[in-house]
Amino acid sequence: MCLAVPARIVSIEGTEAETEIGGVRRRISLALTPEAKVGDYVLVHTGYAIGIVDENEAEETLRLLQEIVSLAP
Amino acid sequence: MIGQYRGSADSERVTRSRVVKFIDEYRNSDLAKKLARTIASRSSRPVRIMEFCGGHTHAILRYGLRQLLPTTVETKSGPGCPVCVTATPDLDKAIAIAHLPNVITTTFGDMMRVPGSYSSLQQAKAEGGDVRTVYSVADAVDIARANRQKLVVFLGIGFETTAPTIAAAILKARQEKIANFSVLCLNKLTPPVMKALLDSGEVKLDGIICPGHVSVIIGSHPYEFIPRNYGVSCVISGFEPLDILLCIEKLVTQIENGTPTVESAYTRGVKPEGNKRALQLMEEVFEIDDANWRGIGIVPQSGLRIKSNYEEFDADKIFSIKLQPSREPKGCRCGDIIRGAATPLECSLFKTICTPESPVGPCMVSSEGACAAYYLYGTEANSFGLSKTKKLHSETK
Amino acid sequence: MGDTIILAHGSGGRLSRELIEKKFLPIFANPFLGKLDDSAVFHACGRLAFTTDSYVVNPIFFPGGDIGKLAVCGTVNDLAMSGARPLYLSLSVIIEEGLPLKELEQITWSIKKAADEAEVTIITGDTKVVNRGQADKLFITTSGIGIVPPGIDISGSNAKVGDKILLSGTIGDHGIAIMSQREGFQFSMSLLSDCAPLNKLVAEMLEVSPRIHCLRDPTRGGLAATLNELAQQSKVGIVVEEAQIPVKEEVRAACELLGLDPLYIANEGKLVAIVEAADAEKVLQRMRRNIYGKDAAIVGEVTEEHPGKVIMKTTLGPSRIIDLPLGELLPRIC
């Protein structure tokens, strides 16, 4: 469930981070992802980062999509 | 979602079509159409898939995915709408608290218009209650910090995506000694209600689109009992159109091969073990209890309750409310819709008596609710008089 | 005079007079107001357009404007949507006791600036002050009078099958700018409200073509509400293409964050024009030469199918209905 959007961490101060998505900045909590670093993309749900986007997997998914459609009859 | 902003072909005009990363790549229309055709080529027989999460119902309708998918794939919406499954007596309690003097009631916007037995949070606000919508539970803590002489209650709805944020907020409130903050904990859990639905046998399912962001928290292991005990395929999905189509492709493949298992089509967000820190915080603050689900009834071990060592933050213990007997709206089929046993079109109140302006049940109020999604986005092409071969004038230019 | 508004400022006595003569009149300075009569008397010839609106926006100051600018632009635009040339406005304010005088001054200057840009004159007004708690800082009501040039017949019921639908620019700017200031949302961005007077843009469009059938500004309820109203009033179907609808990146991003859809979000400086197909392109080009139409686009057309309904062809390909918004837009979590 639930709406979470990928935003990039611009800066970190203690357990909070300034994130940016499409020119919009919002301060969020890293309480659930203390290991996140500046430059990471995190999934933001109601002002908290719930997980870090795995960029390799993101690319892998796109590659998989291309592969699936190329095999289609 | 609205297309990217584009300038004209004029050389003077700046063309701004920057990609929003990790969103736009998964909305590629070319890939979406090809993927839909792939699914069609794989799908040899009718299958019934439940999209558990209201966010998925919303996305499927908004992007018109039903029109891309072959008719062999039937999708049914499920109970994954936190607003819709909040039991009426629980909502009545929240509304009663909202009427209390010296209390600031904070809630996610979704809950404001849901009708309780006699009133709603919005009505409580109109009658003088201090009810405020917030984007985050952290904002509720901020309000408590800034209004020490009042009691600030946060209406804690949501599933495992939201529960850890509430746990984090309670821990922060303790750390900063914000004693006037409390949570009315109505959080619910996903796997137990999936089990209850499958046990009831009311709706025969071949596959489940598992909620992507719940899975970011709980991982993929908690779903393993579903293919094992019920032979139902499970694939975790993100919320972009390509994510959902990829998920359905994997589900159809599993179903066609007769190999039900748990897979993820959202690997950029979900780790099999989930978010350990988030799970730790939940474990610290909450314990599991039976919960009352609207339209389903009591589901064992499916809800969260604040542990006794954090009871100073438990609104249930702070406020003793005497409620009038709760009542359900007559003729409302939200319960059936939540369980996937009916679609909004099969409810006689849909669009006649029950509309977003005058909702009878919660499924019409929450934009996550199936009824609201059906109302907003229409359903099959034929229902709004478009034939499948219609070309728009602009397409021929 | 102290530095906050008190009840006496609205009671008609000495302080009231001081407020009007020392604060309002010098800023607005015109012969009508200067007379201090109970009503303004003027000549007007031809078909008149008349409109009124109240403004209760919260917060009263927002990125890109304030309630004063909004009060002028909103009413000027309502006149412009009938093809009228706005002439005169009335200005009524209800002030909550305790409003800092500085804020009132700032808003008054905003009103003046907006009125000057729109070339309208404020010729009559009223000031009331109410007890603390009985008004949310400041409420403004403006009424406007304009003249509709001969030969102009613009109405929501005039759309014809085959007409093109033009949109003057990006949608969702105002609503998101307001929301970013609300307690509990606090996201920062460079986005400004699009609040602007559109009467000159409309005049330029009419110069190029008299075959503009409908004009409407998509305020509350956003583009979705406006298109639905037009479809129902004219009893026609409307088809739009998602890919053609301009949306600023920041509005998209904010909507993603909050779970909102720009289609339903208010605009205060945009218009929808339904234009005869043959003239659509030249009207579009003329719009793009005006600062308030620089991002104009043809977003759809009028059809005889599904009368009263609005269909959008999504960027993904399939079409879906765009219905009226569900009610007051509240961000969702799910």
Side-chain angles (χ1 to χ4, degrees):
Chain A
M1 261 64 60
C2 309
L3 194 64
V5 290
R8 189 175 56 91
I9 295 182
V10 169
S11 64
I12 296 181
E13 250 174 51
T15 55
E16 297 199 335
E18 184 84 1
T19 59
E20 187 263 335
I21 171 173
V24 176
R25 290 192 167 207
R26 224 251 174 209
R27 201 161 188 75
I28 61 153
S29 167
L30 294 179
L32 309 181
T33 49
E35 71 279 18
K37 300 179 309 298
V38 172
D40 281 346
Y41 280 81
V42 286
L43 291 168
V44 177
H45 169 70
T46 70
Y48 288 78
I50 58 169
I52 303 175
V53 177
D54 186 327
E55 304 196 29
N56 292 330
E57 285 296 341
E59 262 172 61
E60 179 58 29
T61 300
L62 290 172
R63 196 201 56 77
L64 177 65
L65 283 165
Q66 294 284 4
E67 188 184 299
I68 291 175
V69 305
S70 69
L71 292 174
Chain B
M1 199 62 203
I2 298 294
Q4 295 158 23
Y5 169 74
R6 272 188 255 265
S8 79
D10 282 8
S11 53
E12 299 161 15
R13 290 163 56 78
V14 174
T15 308
R16 282 192 278 140
S17 54
R18 274 164 62 188
V19 162
V20 180
K21 203 160 178 211
F22 300 119
I23 289 184
D24 287 338
E25 311 92 303
Y26 302 92
R27 293 185 185 172
N28 182 307
S29 64
D30 207 46
L31 268 179
K33 289 178 188 134
K34 288 184 178 153
L35 196 46
R37 284 201 288 271
T38 306
I39 295 169
S41 70
R42 295 247 175 102
S43 177
S44 70
R45 57 186 174 88
V47 294
R48 188 178 284 150
I49 290 173
M50 175 176 275
E51 78 262 7
F52 182 85
C53 170
H56 279 135
T57 306
H58 188 89
I60 287 171
L61 287 172
R62 174 198 213 136
Y63 293 111
L65 294 183
R66 286 240 176 91
Q67 293 163 57
L68 287 180
L69 289 167
T71 50
T72 44
V73 176
E74 185 193 349
T75 61
K76 290 210 99 65
S77 56
C81 164
V83 173
C84 307
V85 298
T86 298
T88 309
D90 291 333
L91 178 56
D92 288 344
K93 195 182 295 179
I95 295 169
I97 292 174
H99 275 113
L100 293 174
N102 219 43
V103 171
I104 300 175
T105 306
T106 55
T107 176
F108 293 127
D110 313 54
M111 287 303 280
M112 285 296 281
R113 287 193 309 253
V114 184
S117 300
Y118 305 97
S119 183
S120 69
L121 286 170
Q122 188 166 65
Q123 218 173 310
K125 181 170 187 215
E127 288 164 11
D130 192 343
V131 183
R132 307 187 195 180
T133 54
V134 289
Y135 164 67
S136 168
V137 59
D139 300 330
V141 175
D142 288 341
I143 291 175
R145 195 187 292 113
N147 292 276
R148 297 285 186 155
Q149 71 290 9
K150 301 213 171 176
L151 294 176
V152 176
V153 181
F154 176 74
L155 189 51
I157 60 160
F159 293 86
E160 294 94 329
T161 325
T162 320
T165 70
I166 298 178
I170 288 176
L171 289 169
K172 187 159 192 218
R174 169 163 283 182
Q175 194 192 12
E176 293 187 32
K177 298 191 172 47
I178 302 178
N180 56 326
F181 172 73
S182 65
V183 174
L184 188 65
C185 185
L186 301 173
N187 283 99
K188 297 184 166 56
L189 300 174
T190 303
V193 77
M194 285 178 164
K195 179 176 185 310
L197 282 183
L198 291 165
D199 280 340
S200 82
E202 189 179 11
V203 182
K204 168 99 184 52
L205 292 176
D206 301 297
I208 299 180
I209 300 176
C210 294
H213 294 129
V214 162
S215 306
V216 168
I217 303 293
I218 69 176
S220 57
H221 300 310
Y223 304 112
E224 279 159 9
F225 75 98
I226 296 173
R228 190 176 57 230
N229 300 349
Y230 302 92
V232 172
S233 299
C234 287
V235 179
I236 300 171
S237 174
F239 292 83
E240 300 305 328
L242 287 184
D243 292 324
I244 298 171
L245 288 170
L246 179 60
C247 168
I248 294 178
E249 191 274 336
K250 283 175 183 284
L251 278 170
V252 166
T253 303
Q254 280 189 30
I255 296 167
E256 292 284 331
N257 294 342
T259 50
T261 182
V262 176
E263 262 190 275
S264 175
Y266 193 34
T267 52
R268 67 186 184 279
V270 176
K271 296 200 204 36
E273 69 274 16
N275 178 334
K276 292 214 161 104
R277 178 93 183 118
L279 292 168
Q280 243 168 30
L281 294 180
M282 280 172 67
E283 174 107 19
E284 169 65 26
V285 173
F286 298 121
E287 59 196 8
I288 297 180
D289 196 4
D290 297 345
N292 188 2
W293 294 63
R294 183 175 196 141
I296 300 176
I298 306 281
V299 177
Q301 303 291 286
S302 66
L304 294 177
R305 201 174 50 182
I306 297 174
K307 278 181 170 160
S308 55
N309 53 327
Y310 287 96
E311 67 179 12
E312 76 262 32
F313 300 107
D314 189 345
D316 226 350
K317 302 222 166 97
I318 295 171
F319 299 95
S320 62
I321 307 278
K322 204 148 173 274
L323 288 176
Q324 291 177 285
S326 73
R327 49 181 201 191
E328 298 298 327
K330 221 164 151 221
C332 175
R333 293 194 72 184
C334 277
D336 294 338
I337 290 163
I338 286 165
R339 296 189 317 274
T343 70
L345 300 176
E346 290 160 27
C347 173
S348 58
L349 304 183
F350 178 69
K351 267 189 165 176
T352 54
I353 296 171
C354 184
T355 65
E357 292 76 38
S358 56
V360 174
C363 299
M364 182 59 86
V365 174
S366 166
S367 50
E368 277 324 290
C371 300
Y374 272 64
Y375 192 99
L376 248 192
Y377 299 124
T379 54
E380 284 76 40
N382 294 333
S383 77
F384 34 76
L386 287 181
S387 70
K388 294 226 159 105
T389 54
K390 173 172 170 40
K391 274 196 180 300
L392 294 176
H393 296 260
S394 44
E395 267 185 298
T396 59
K397 287 219 180 70
Chain C
M1 212 179 316
D3 53 7
T4 57
I5 295 292
I6 58 177
L7 284 174
H9 282 119
S11 63
R14 188 188 305 275
L15 272 182
S16 282
R17 191 129 181 139
E18 237 180 72
L19 183 67
I20 293 171
E21 287 184 6
K22 292 227 167 75
K23 293 292 172 187
F24 290 141
L25 281 190
I27 294 176
F28 293 122
N30 65 61
F32 292 100
L33 289 177
K35 275 180 133 191
L36 287 176
D37 279 340
D38 281 344
S39 47
V41 179
F42 58 91
H43 285 287
C45 241
R47 275 186 309 156
L48 299 180
F50 183 39
T51 184
T52 188
D53 239 316
S54 294
Y55 299 87
V56 298
V57 69
N58 170 25
I60 57 176
F61 295 100
F62 46 83
D66 57 37
I67 189 174
K69 184 178 179 188
L70 200 58
V72 170
C73 294
T75 295
V76 161
N77 290 348
D78 279 347
L79 290 172
M81 294 306 120
S82 303
R85 180 165 71 86
L87 287 179
Y88 303 120
L89 294 187
S90 72
L91 173 67
S92 294
V93 299
I94 298 177
I95 312 172
E96 185 190 12
E97 180 191 15
L99 182 75
L101 203 53
K102 258 188 137 62
E103 288 188 12
L104 184 62
E105 273 175 347
Q106 197 179 334
I107 288 168
T108 309
W109 276 110
S110 266
I111 293 172
K112 161 82 171 147
K113 204 166 151 214
D116 283 351
E117 185 186 352
E119 291 175 21
V120 290
T121 319
I122 294 166
I123 62 174
T124 187
D126 181 57
T127 308
K128 295 283 185 307
V129 181
V130 295
N131 283 308
R132 204 177 288 270
Q134 288 184 350
D136 194 358
K137 301 218 184 73
L138 182 62
F139 295 150
I140 302 182
T141 299
T142 46
S143 298
I145 286 188
I147 297 205
V148 183
I152 301 292
D153 174 25
I154 296 178
S155 161
S157 46
N158 287 354
K160 302 270 175 298
V161 174
D163 284 352
K164 295 293 183 195
I165 301 177
L166 279 60
L167 176 59
S168 64
T170 57
I171 57 169
D173 298 22
H174 178 77
I176 294 295
I178 296 280
M179 209 171 282
S180 71
Q181 304 299 299
R182 288 255 164 87
E183 171 191 61
F185 296 123
Q186 289 131 23
F187 37 91
S188 59
M189 48 165 107
S190 58
L191 182 72
L192 303 176
S193 160
D194 61 347
C195 180
L198 300 175
N199 50 317
K200 292 190 186 156
L201 173 64
V202 170
E204 287 164 17
M205 289 162 68
L206 288 171
E207 266 171 37
V208 157
S209 166
R211 285 181 286 272
I212 295 177
H213 296 155
C214 313
L215 286 173
R216 189 136 315 168
D217 56 344
T219 52
R220 276 173 314 167
L223 181 63
T226 294
L227 292 177
N228 271 281
E229 281 163 20
L230 291 169
Q232 276 157 32
Q233 250 188 291
S234 291
K235 301 190 179 33
V236 291
I238 285 181
V239 180
V240 292
E241 268 190 62
E242 185 173 29
Q244 296 306 318
I245 299 174
V247 182
K248 286 200 163 86
E249 192 187 356
E250 284 168 312
V251 170
R252 270 194 68 202
C255 286
E256 295 285 353
L257 265 171
L258 297 172
L260 297 174
D261 189 333
L263 283 176
Y264 305 108
I265 298 181
N267 309 276
E268 290 292 340
K270 298 290 170 349
L271 61 81
V272 171
I274 300 190
V275 178
E276 204 161 292
D279 288 359
E281 190 59 37
K282 64 177 176 179
V283 171
L284 178 71
Q285 293 309 324
R286 192 70 178 87
M287 286 168 82
R288 285 183 174 167
R289 298 208 321 252
N290 183 301
I291 187 177
Y292 297 129
K294 65 178 168 55
D295 298 326
I298 298 179
V299 297
E301 59 185 16
V302 177
T303 168
E304 63 183 346
E305 317 215 356
H306 49 82
K309 291 218 183 307
V310 181
I311 304 292
M312 181 169 80
K313 181 166 182 278
T314 62
T315 42
L316 227 62
S319 297
R320 63 166 171 96
I321 287 183
I322 301 187
D323 210 319
L324 289 167
L326 293 180
E328 193 202 334
L329 268 190
L330 296 162
R332 53 189 179 94
I333 62 159
C334 217

